[in-house]
Amino acid sequence: MAQDDRVEAGAEKALPMLRWLRILVTSLAVVMGLGVLAVVAILWLRLASPPLPQLPDRIALPQGATPAAVTFARDWTVVVTETGEVLLYDRQGKLRDSVTP
């Protein structure tokens, strides 16, 4: 009636661990696929960075300077401009030092 269309019908009978090996390989492939999806999701969530924080109103940048990075510390604020200039401001917003590349 129904014919077995596997290539080797007696392979699982000859090697009893073959079925276990197939299940193990399939489950490991599924776990690896889920792991890759998890890594991609974590990278996507972590690398979607928010925009830079707003500079306080009391800090006035030099004419034509646009901030590329801002660092807030206890007593000072550091602004790195797009041209690479580093500006150091105190708490009151007064420019204390600048370093030009």
Side-chain angles (χ1 to χ4, degrees):
M1 291 240 192
Q3 197 176 32
D4 193 6
D5 44 338
R6 288 186 293 182
V7 176
E8 294 180 34
E12 287 187 11
K13 292 178 184 173
L15 299 169
M17 295 300 288
L18 189 58
R19 183 166 193 252
W20 169 249
L21 183 61
R22 284 183 184 165
I23 292 171
L24 184 64
V25 169
T26 303
S27 62
L28 287 175
V30 168
V31 168
M32 185 176 63
L34 290 174
V36 168
L37 287 176
V39 167
V40 168
I42 289 171
L43 286 174
W44 180 68
L45 289 173
R46 298 288 280 166
L47 294 179
S49 61
L52 288 173
Q54 294 295 320
L55 283 174
D57 294 331
R58 61 183 181 264
I59 293 180
L61 293 176
Q63 191 68 21
T66 55
V70 180
T71 301
F72 296 99
R74 283 186 226 163
D75 297 332
W76 43 267
T77 302
V78 177
V79 178
V80 179
T81 64
E82 299 245 342
T83 60
E85 186 177 11
V86 179
L87 306 170
L88 179 65
Y89 292 92
D90 62 5
R91 271 192 176 170
Q92 288 74 32
K94 184 178 176 186
L95 181 63
R96 289 291 178 187
D97 196 10
S98 75
V99 177
T100 308

